[in-house]
Amino acid sequence: MATTSSMFMYSLTIQPPTSITQAILGQFAGTKEQQIVTASGSRLTIHRPDPTQAKITTILSQDVFGIIRTLAPFRLAGSNKDYIIIGSDSGRITVVEYVPSQNRFNRLHLETFGKSGVRRVIPGQYLAVDPKGRACLIASVEKNKLVYVLNRNAQADLTISSPLEAHKAQTLVFALVGLDVGYENPVFAALEVDYAECDQDPTGQAYEDLEKSLVYYELDLGLNHVVRKWSDPVDRTATMLLQVPGGADGPSGVLVCGLDNITYRHSNQDAFRVPIPRRRGATENPERKRYITAGVMHKMRGAFFFLLQSEDGDMFKVTLDMVEDDAGQATGEVKRLKIKYFDTVPLASNLCILKSGFLFVASETGNHHFYQFEKLGDDDNEMEFDSDSYSADPSEPYTPAYFTPRPAENVNLVESIDSMNPQMDCKVANLTEEDAPQIYSICGTGARSSFRTLKHGLEVNDIVDSELPSAPTRVWTTKITRNDQYDAYIVLSFTSGTLVLSIGETVEEVNDTGFLSSAPTLAVQQLGEDALIQVHPRGIRHIRADRRVNEWPAPQHRSIVAATTNERQVAVALSSGEIVYFEMDPEDGSLAEYDEKREMSGTVTCLSLGEVPEGRVRSQFLAVGCDDSTVRILSLDPDSTLENKSVQALTSAPSALKIMAMADSTSGGSTLYLHIGLWSGVYLRTVLDEITGELSDTRTRFLGAKKVELFQVSVKGQQAVLALSSRAWLGYSDPQTKGFTLTPLNFPALTWASNFSSEQCVEGMVGIENQSLRIFSIEKLGNSLLQESIPLTYTPRKFVRHPEQPLFYSIESDNNTLSPATRQRLMNDTTLVNGDAAILSPEDFGYPRAQGHWASCIHIIDPVNTKACLQQIDLEDNEAAVSIAAVSFASQDDETFLVIGTGKDITIAPRTFSAGFIYVYRFLEDGKELEFIHKTKVEQPPQALLGFQGRLLAGIGKDLRIYDLGLKQLLRKCQAQVAPNLVTGLQTQGSRIIVSDVQESVVYVVYKYQENRLIPFVDDVVARWTTSTTMVDYETVAGGDKFGNMWLLRCPQKSSEEADEEGSGAHLIHERQYLQGAPNRLNLMCHFFPQDIPTSIQKTPLVAGGRDILVWTGFQGTIGIFVPFIGREDVDFFQTLEQHLRSEDAPLAGRDHLIYRSYYVPVKGVIDGDLCERYALLPLDKKQMIAGELDRSVREIERKISDMRTRVAH
């Protein structure tokens, strides 16, 4: 990386891509249960489906820093564990296993076969595995195929052979699958086209006569080479192959799926063909043919079936009938092929059928679905079509088959997994007046699209919310004896008394517990085997099992101000600043006071004793917080009781302390931590040395405006810390990385809380919110971004926020979709013959399709109050909305109007249209309604609109125009041709306008008010296909392009100053053009390849008190940030760390990290935070080696890495 860059950014992913490009099923953990492995962009994720709860949980997700093109599971014969083969852009084949004991992926083999990158002739696009696990074939789109033989050596380890070639020049591969041939020589089937003759024939006749072939490649294991065994022409529209079971399970062969037909083919069997049934319905086009886009084969005992999905989402069940001999046994010869409608599910990129009776649908767009099979569709009365009625010759015409779609009967949706793919636009705003802003996003396609609100927080399961007579100040739960499994009492402390509730079937008040009810309580503890302790301002009450009460009174004229307890020790602080320490006598269970009191320098605000460690009789340390902003650690060792061990100065007085042991990613074991809450709302976590009592490695986090209270709770089997400030936070060890994570709870602010355990709720918490008692639990720790979804009608394109109100306005449009008016007309037309099917819900079945039609609308969305769409305005006349802006017009007393650009009869490619319009709407009732004012016809659909100096700026084709609002239409005030191809985006500050071009990066334009002229003065040297931009400052613009790059460009200082000089701008107009462009060029500051198409970029803070960062969102559902570095020292540190990690933790799929991040342009001025965060997952010896090289401790490095994230983001 060029160290001369004057600007450095730290790139981090907040939410990884959610689109699934590939999903495979297998027993990757080596146990009976199946796991699902998915590829999302560059991430490999393993999920565990839980059949008992019908849920899917993510076990491990890892960035492989390379594009995963294809995945395949395979298993060696006789083994019970599946391995994963990855075909990526690294030019290497990778074999990976999942190691459940360490919860990580382990790379077993990495074999290089070609150049890196996604290329036409380098294998990696297709991957097929022999079902018996003996070989795999990896192929490229053109020419090259390589076969690897897989075996095991004497140590039972997996071995891989050198590759065997099966190349054929000038041949395109469309599909590839391994044939099931039992234990005969492995055979692979491919759909191929030989284009050698087409290349030579200028007339184009050879192209017309071109044939697509089904080709069998056989690997001869004896001779160790690959032969082309059999080839036969198939339907030219064929795109997909599915393996038919062979050996003892079936006839072997493949299903070939083409346009409107499915054919069974095998080298020694007849061909059988069935049509793909078409939908029946008044709004359906009876002539429209379908393709099969996804399919899955499932084997059961003695039977198998296929589920194939068409492009509408309809699933069909395909089965084969076998010829039977006289004894009624199947002979292995196919008799007929049968197809029938099964159910409709969202369009999938992959389907997986689990042995436990579930179907996983990895959706192409929108949420992924997890279904349970109710039945297999055998006994329904759906029409079944078989191959007896249809000729196997693809050229022969046939009568189409029709079916009537219906709601799902065979599968039942049990879980929907959030996915924001495709994410079209995003805004970060704080509409709910909380500490941190929310992320508002539009995503999805068609009727499954949605408006989503993302909040940083953990989902809370609210169990009890009961009103109390007055507001309590504190709450505890306690067992009665040490061996009780569940809590018996809830103790509530009020300003003037104490209330005890018993926990059982119901929660009710009890009076005979021995607790003092006339005074407030400071602490409650179950002591020793069967005693209870109550600390109140006047003393300590020791309640024995036989209800005998021992009272220790506070000294005269002094009261207890703070207390801490564990099961064997009690420490209290008096109002005079003295600390009194008690320890339980193991013989008779009584409390013995330590002779000397320890006087502190200031008033004690809080105390904490740790839990008694296993096998010890006491906790070694007492932490004392004083109002002089210090925390002292005192020893409780009998030889040095209450002696000072260490002290830490703080920025404000401590309000809460908690000593507790938690899992530690640095040491891999458990470490003692001191958690500190301050009056200023800051939370600190510091390591407490278990021998010396020294405090080190302090990490801080600002939680909110109120003082912090801390409580030890148990969540999902681990000890966690609950921190209460202006909202509740949970500190826990991340299930995957084991690193400490602090996440807010999606719950009202609490004033006090305690752990809660009962029969109904084993791991819960009880808290006080004003006058209510709340009992709640936390079910999931993994996902810390909560989503709320509002359904939309069509695919959202862009959206804007109302300038004052918490409302959004979205434009949505779908191509090749019937508009509501046309749909209604067809439904009312009685002359149509294509059936009178019931109206189907578009969320499940999609909208009726029709070539050249557009369906488009405008929505008013209220994500805060009603959480719904308030108004929908449909566009007529085949118009589609393409741009939107809220513009305040100076000529109308700065009233804000909603301006929308539309296009009529748009064709996407080649780009054609019949007209463009600009609609103007007025806001009514605080923006909750829109009133149409007028529309103005323009030559082209305006792709970009923006408010500019009290007028409207519009990008129409290559032109940039300024409009003002007239009575009948918009009035053109100024125009200039500024873009080489097409204006797609506009940003502005002052009189400067940044214009994005569809393929020529950005142009800076200045508007000269006196002359009324728009003058381009600086543009770029690289042709960037811009998708989104934002201004970082007056000179700098951040942008993304459609190849998945992010970049920052800066205008040279001199050019910027010249453009803003007073006067007419004549010097700019007459300045000489440079290479047919503007006179000056932009400088590239930063460049990075995040591998997702940026659809929006914003400069905004993401956390309370955080600084401005760049937040970008990607098409596949990614949310990422770029954090600017402030000092050079941090840059040098992270650059060195990045270099070490590149060599010590090389990417899993074999891609070079530096080359991957420099896919199109060398990476510049950006450090990859996702790679740096993998440091925490390294083995301890590697961590220490890197730390030694960097001359720092492991904890220090981990703190720096975590600070980069926690200071600015989630």
Side-chain angles (χ1 to χ4, degrees):
M1 189 190 288
T3 49
T4 52
S5 183
S6 60
M7 184 174 196
F8 278 89
M9 307 290 262
Y10 185 78
S11 159
L12 270 177
T13 305
I14 291 178
Q15 176 175 286
T18 50
S19 73
I20 294 179
T21 49
Q22 194 92 16
I24 57 172
L25 194 61
Q27 294 166 332
F28 301 107
T31 55
K32 279 271 174 36
E33 66 173 23
Q34 291 176 303
Q35 290 87 23
I36 298 167
V37 169
T38 60
S40 308
S42 63
R43 289 190 92 82
L44 194 65
T45 309
I46 183 162
H47 311 266
R48 192 180 76 103
D50 187 339
T52 52
Q53 293 187 319
K55 278 193 166 19
I56 289 190
T57 47
T58 303
I59 313 174
L60 172 65
S61 182
Q62 181 173 337
D63 202 325
V64 302
F65 301 109
I67 297 169
I68 302 172
R69 299 165 73 186
T70 174
L71 292 174
F74 87 98
R75 176 188 302 206
L76 290 167
S79 155
N80 63 347
K81 178 169 184 168
D82 285 317
Y83 297 98
I84 305 160
I85 305 183
I86 304 173
S88 68
D89 61 344
S90 61
R92 298 159 160 191
I93 187 167
T94 317
V95 183
V96 172
E97 69 167 336
Y98 170 64
V99 186
S101 58
Q102 299 169 342
N103 192 27
R104 67 183 186 89
F105 290 118
N106 180 30
R107 188 168 69 202
L108 300 172
H109 288 287
L110 186 65
E111 298 293 319
T112 307
F113 52 69
K115 292 178 179 173
S116 62
V118 179
R119 299 167 193 259
R120 200 173 52 166
V121 292
I122 303 294
Q125 187 64 31
Y126 301 106
L127 184 60
V129 176
D130 169 57
K132 292 287 183 268
R134 297 166 297 172
C136 73
L137 189 152
I138 189 164
S140 58
V141 175
E142 187 179 329
K143 184 183 173 187
N144 294 335
K145 294 184 189 68
L146 297 171
V147 176
Y148 286 91
V149 180
L150 301 157
N151 216 323
R152 52 161 76 84
N153 60 14
Q155 288 77 45
D157 292 332
L158 174 73
T159 60
I160 190 165
S161 71
S162 47
L164 305 169
E165 296 184 352
H167 302 338
K168 188 168 188 294
Q170 296 186 311
T171 301
L172 297 173
V173 178
F174 286 82
L176 185 71
V177 72
L179 229 61
D180 190 346
V181 290
Y183 282 103
E184 293 172 22
N185 279 336
V187 176
F188 299 95
L191 273 181
E192 291 184 356
V193 165
D194 186 336
Y195 68 82
E197 287 177 24
C198 297
D199 252 8
Q200 308 303 323
D201 176 26
T203 62
Q205 188 56 39
Y207 175 73
E208 296 301 324
D209 303 340
L210 197 64
E211 280 189 337
K212 196 173 274 188
S213 308
L214 175 65
V215 185
Y216 279 10
Y217 289 91
E218 183 179 23
L219 165 65
D220 192 319
L221 288 170
L223 300 173
N224 209 26
H225 78 287
V226 184
V227 291
R228 195 178 162 101
K229 183 183 177 187
W230 177 72
S231 173
D232 205 32
V234 293
D235 182 3
R236 188 169 164 178
T237 61
T239 54
M240 196 171 175
L241 293 175
L242 283 124
Q243 170 200 89
V244 177
D249 302 321
S252 187
V254 289
L255 288 187
V256 182
C257 305
L259 179 64
D260 210 35
N261 71 82
I262 298 162
T263 315
Y264 168 75
R265 300 298 301 263
H266 194 34
S267 53
N268 61 2
Q269 302 256 18
D270 293 336
F272 296 93
R273 185 170 74 138
V274 290
I276 299 171
R278 306 175 190 175
R279 282 187 183 179
R280 188 181 284 124
T283 54
E284 292 292 337
N285 174 5
E287 299 306 313
R288 185 162 75 85
K289 300 177 176 182
R290 269 77 165 173
Y291 273 105
I292 293 294
T293 55
V296 60
M297 180 267 294
H298 185 62
K299 271 196 280 197
M300 299 172 294
R301 279 199 185 88
F304 63 88
F305 65 89
F306 295 86
L307 285 185
L308 305 183
Q309 189 183 36
S310 75
E311 64 207 81
D312 291 335
D314 300 322
M315 280 199 304
F316 302 99
K317 183 177 177 182
V318 176
T319 49
L320 291 167
D321 279 357
M322 312 302 289
V323 175
E324 293 179 350
D325 58 16
D326 301 337
Q329 295 295 313
T331 58
E333 189 182 336
V334 178
K335 184 173 168 188
R336 69 172 68 87
L337 181 65
K338 297 194 296 195
I339 185 167
K340 69 195 270 195
Y341 173 57
F342 187 73
D343 264 339
T344 301
V345 299
L347 194 57
S349 55
N350 282 88
L351 298 167
C352 300
I353 297 178
L354 281 73
K355 286 180 180 162
S356 49
F358 290 90
L359 170 71
F360 176 65
V361 176
S363 305
E364 271 191 12
T365 66
N367 290 358
H368 309 298
H369 283 183
F370 193 49
Y371 292 91
Q372 185 164 14
F373 281 103
E374 299 290 328
K375 54 188 202 300
L376 290 176
D378 298 326
D379 49 359
D380 57 15
N381 48 16
E382 280 295 334
M383 177 83 174
E384 193 164 55
F385 306 95
D386 61 41
S387 54
D388 297 351
S389 323
Y390 299 93
S391 156
D393 179 7
S395 59
E396 279 198 29
Y398 55 84
T399 53
Y402 291 99
F403 74 95
T404 306
R406 52 160 170 74
E409 287 177 359
N410 300 308
V411 292
N412 173 33
L413 181 64
V414 287
E415 193 186 13
S416 179
I417 301 141
D418 281 338
S419 166
M420 293 175 63
N421 162 56
Q423 187 168 223
M424 309 298 280
D425 200 358
C426 174
K427 303 266 186 278
V428 180
N430 191 354
L431 302 186
T432 53
E433 303 299 322
E434 290 175 19
D435 320 0
Q438 306 85 47
I439 299 172
Y440 297 95
S441 172
I442 46 173
C443 45
T445 58
R448 294 184 68 236
S449 58
S450 58
F451 176 97
R452 301 210 181 182
T453 305
L454 274 79
K455 264 164 105 175
H456 182 219
L458 286 172
E459 195 153 357
V460 173
N461 178 18
D462 199 357
I463 300 166
V464 173
D465 178 1
S466 68
E467 193 82 11
L468 295 166
S470 61
T473 53
R474 302 180 179 198
V475 61
W476 294 268
T477 56
T478 180
K479 302 172 180 177
I480 294 181
T481 70
R482 186 174 175 178
N483 301 324
D484 284 358
Q485 191 179 349
Y486 302 120
D487 293 328
Y489 295 143
I490 296 176
V491 182
L492 292 163
S493 168
F494 296 86
T495 45
S496 58
T498 296
L499 180 70
V500 183
L501 307 173
S502 74
I503 304 168
E505 287 296 311
T506 58
V507 173
E508 50 201 28
E509 187 179 341
V510 282
N511 298 317
D512 58 347
T513 55
F515 279 89
L516 182 68
S517 59
S518 60
T521 302
L522 296 174
V524 172
Q525 174 73 41
Q526 191 276 316
L527 191 80
E529 289 302 320
D530 51 11
L532 293 173
I533 285 281
Q534 177 194 15
V535 182
H536 53 89
R538 304 292 331 135
I540 300 173
R541 203 172 171 89
H542 185 189
I543 306 156
R544 297 296 187 91
D546 53 10
R547 290 283 183 268
R548 277 186 304 139
V549 173
N550 294 350
E551 186 90 38
W552 178 87
Q556 225 168 353
H557 308 305
R558 280 171 281 180
S559 61
I560 298 174
V561 291
T564 176
T565 59
N566 63 27
E567 60 201 41
R568 306 184 75 107
Q569 297 157 287
V570 178
V572 295
L574 304 177
S575 50
S576 57
E578 291 167 308
I579 287 176
V580 189
Y581 170 62
F582 303 84
E583 206 166 293
M584 189 187 81
D585 188 322
E587 301 299 319
D588 61 358
S590 63
L591 273 183
E593 181 185 347
Y594 178 66
D595 304 337
E596 293 173 32
K597 296 183 175 63
R598 167 73 195 264
E599 197 151 333
M600 304 307 286
S601 54
T603 307
V604 177
T605 56
C606 47
L607 298 168
S608 176
L609 283 163
E611 299 252 311
V612 179
E614 195 87 11
R616 299 273 185 92
V617 292
R618 67 176 64 79
S619 166
Q620 295 287 80
F621 303 113
L622 170 67
V624 183
C626 299
D627 64 356
D628 58 357
S629 299
T630 59
V631 168
R632 288 179 169 76
I633 302 295
L634 306 183
S635 166
L636 298 180
D637 207 48
D639 308 333
S640 58
T641 311
L642 299 185
E643 274 185 21
N644 212 359
K645 282 286 189 184
S646 62
V647 63
Q648 177 157 345
L650 306 166
T651 52
S652 104
S655 55
L657 297 171
K658 198 51 99 195
I659 296 176
M660 56 191 280
M662 290 181 80
D664 179 19
S665 64
T666 310
S667 63
S670 168
T671 301
L672 202 59
Y673 290 104
L674 171 63
H675 302 269
I676 308 169
L678 305 186
W679 280 86
S680 59
V682 173
Y683 158 83
L684 297 93
R685 184 182 72 126
T686 177
V687 176
L688 174 60
D689 190 297
E690 297 182 30
I691 294 150
T692 63
E694 289 293 322
L695 295 172
S696 61
D697 186 32
T698 305
R699 311 210 179 163
T700 60
R701 183 88 182 256
F702 175 64
L703 301 189
K706 292 184 182 168
K707 67 168 184 174
V708 179
E709 295 288 355
L710 299 171
F711 308 93
Q712 183 169 343
V713 292
S714 160
V715 179
K716 306 305 271 178
Q718 60 160 296
Q719 290 300 313
V721 61
L722 182 68
L724 304 180
S725 176
S726 51
R727 64 195 287 196
W729 296 70
L730 188 76
Y732 57 95
S733 296
D734 184 273
Q736 282 185 36
T737 63
K738 300 289 176 271
F740 181 75
T741 312
L742 197 63
T743 312
L745 301 183
N746 186 29
F747 206 63
L750 302 171
T751 51
W752 200 269
S754 175
N755 213 27
F756 177 85
S757 178
S758 73
E759 231 171 306
Q760 292 79 19
C761 169
V762 179
E763 277 191 330
M765 294 165 222
V766 56
I768 299 165
E769 181 216 346
N770 301 331
Q771 212 171 316
S772 300
L773 187 70
R774 305 289 291 257
I775 298 176
F776 57 95
S777 66
I778 292 162
E779 301 298 325
K780 271 190 193 162
L781 282 183
N783 181 23
S784 65
L785 272 181
L786 290 173
Q787 297 190 10
E788 277 182 358
S789 185
I790 299 170
L792 300 176
T793 308
Y794 306 116
T795 306
R797 304 292 170 175
K798 292 188 172 97
F799 74 131
V800 293
R801 189 194 155 187
H802 190 285
E804 287 103 31
Q805 304 299 328
L807 299 170
F808 287 99
Y809 304 86
S810 72
I811 50 169
E812 300 154 37
S813 57
D814 269 329
N815 194 8
N816 296 337
T817 301
L818 288 180
S819 67
T822 317
R823 284 205 299 274
Q824 198 54 50
R825 201 179 72 242
L826 288 170
M827 296 299 280
N828 298 339
D829 191 344
T830 51
T831 58
L832 292 173
V833 289
N834 197 15
D836 52 349
I839 299 173
L840 302 164
S841 77
E843 293 81 35
D844 300 325
F845 296 90
Y847 291 105
R849 323 275 304 170
Q851 203 68 32
H853 285 257
W854 282 89
S856 185
C857 72
I858 304 158
H859 265 139
I860 306 177
I861 304 160
D862 178 357
V864 177
N865 301 319
T866 61
K867 299 191 176 172
C869 292
L870 304 180
Q871 187 184 2
Q872 175 174 337
I873 301 168
D874 284 303
L875 297 181
E876 309 281 329
D877 296 336
N878 209 28
E879 282 182 46
V882 293
S883 55
I884 183 168
V887 182
S888 70
F889 286 99
S891 58
Q892 303 288 322
D893 300 334
D894 288 335
E895 186 185 343
T896 305
F897 293 83
L898 188 69
V899 183
I900 288 165
T902 70
K904 188 170 169 12
D905 306 328
I906 298 176
T907 318
I908 303 293
R911 187 170 179 272
T912 59
F913 41 82
S914 58
F917 297 96
I918 302 177
Y919 285 71
V920 180
Y921 291 89
R922 175 176 265 127
F923 293 121
L924 299 179
E925 297 193 15
D926 290 337
K928 290 179 183 161
E929 279 184 31
L930 291 177
E931 178 192 29
F932 173 68
I933 293 180
H934 56 60
K935 71 175 184 178
T936 308
K937 188 171 181 179
V938 290
E939 302 80 50
Q940 295 197 26
Q943 294 290 340
L945 299 170
L946 186 68
F948 175 71
Q949 297 185 353
R951 296 195 282 189
L952 168 69
L953 197 59
I956 299 169
K958 302 177 182 183
D959 296 342
L960 191 58
R961 290 188 189 163
I962 296 178
Y963 285 100
D964 209 341
L965 190 63
L967 285 174
K968 296 281 179 67
Q969 63 169 34
L970 290 168
L971 309 172
R972 191 188 319 179
K973 296 294 183 188
C974 179
Q975 171 173 342
Q977 186 179 327
V978 296
N981 302 291
L982 176 69
V983 176
T984 57
L986 297 168
Q987 302 285 335
T988 181
Q989 272 186 31
S991 59
R992 179 169 297 179
I993 303 157
I994 313 269
V995 180
S996 314
D997 182 78
V998 68
Q999 73 181 65
E1000 293 286 345
S1001 192
V1002 295
V1003 183
Y1004 282 37
V1005 177
V1006 64
Y1007 175 61
K1008 294 294 182 189
Y1009 187 76
Q1010 300 92 331
E1011 294 286 306
N1012 194 26
R1013 293 195 74 155
L1014 290 159
I1015 309 164
F1017 65 94
V1018 56
D1019 59 15
D1020 198 5
V1021 286
V1022 179
R1024 305 179 199 280
W1025 294 70
T1026 317
T1027 55
S1028 59
T1029 55
T1030 190
M1031 289 184 81
V1032 181
D1033 57 42
Y1034 193 57
E1035 259 91 40
T1036 317
V1037 66
D1041 65 37
K1042 75 167 190 179
F1043 296 104
N1045 296 302
M1046 290 279 296
W1047 29 266
L1048 262 90
L1049 302 170
R1050 182 168 282 171
C1051 174
Q1053 189 73 32
K1054 187 164 170 285
S1055 313
S1056 177
E1057 285 166 4
E1058 276 180 11
D1060 288 345
E1061 279 175 13
E1062 287 293 317
S1064 64
H1067 60 292
L1068 293 173
I1069 298 163
H1070 301 305
E1071 200 169 346
R1072 208 169 101 231
Q1073 286 193 343
Y1074 179 64
L1075 299 176
Q1076 282 88 47
N1080 302 294
R1081 291 289 176 268
L1082 294 162
N1083 299 325
L1084 178 68
M1085 302 304 292
C1086 299
H1087 201 286
F1088 190 68
F1089 176 74
Q1091 210 230 301
D1092 197 353
I1093 302 168
T1095 52
S1096 79
I1097 309 172
Q1098 273 168 284
K1099 182 180 156 192
T1100 171
L1102 262 192
V1103 293
R1107 57 197 173 97
D1108 274 358
I1109 53 174
L1110 286 180
V1111 180
W1112 69 275
T1113 57
F1115 186 74
Q1116 298 177 29
T1118 317
I1119 301 175
I1121 58 171
F1122 283 87
V1123 187
F1125 279 105
I1126 296 171
R1128 184 78 221 186
E1129 187 191 339
D1130 278 352
V1131 175
D1132 293 341
F1133 167 78
F1134 279 105
Q1135 269 183 333
T1136 322
L1137 176 63
E1138 200 179 23
Q1139 281 163 2
H1140 283 297
L1141 283 167
R1142 279 178 186 147
S1143 55
E1144 295 303 325
D1145 184 38
L1148 189 68
R1151 187 84 164 109
D1152 183 295
H1153 176 267
L1154 182 62
I1155 298 174
Y1156 167 68
R1157 289 301 189 198
S1158 309
Y1159 226 105
Y1160 294 95
V1161 174
V1163 64
K1164 179 179 181 182
V1166 181
I1167 284 163
D1168 187 357
D1170 294 338
L1171 178 67
C1172 293
E1173 288 190 343
R1174 285 201 51 80
Y1175 178 80
L1177 301 171
L1178 291 178
L1180 192 57
D1181 55 337
K1182 281 195 177 176
K1183 281 188 189 176
Q1184 286 167 338
M1185 190 209 83
I1186 294 173
E1189 295 279 337
L1190 289 167
D1191 203 14
R1192 311 223 177 195
S1193 70
V1194 173
R1195 284 197 186 283
E1196 206 177 336
I1197 294 175
E1198 290 195 340
R1199 185 176 80 234
K1200 279 185 93 71
I1201 294 168
S1202 86
D1203 277 359
M1204 283 304 289
R1205 183 183 278 271
T1206 54
R1207 280 184 186 163
V1208 293
H1210 311 326

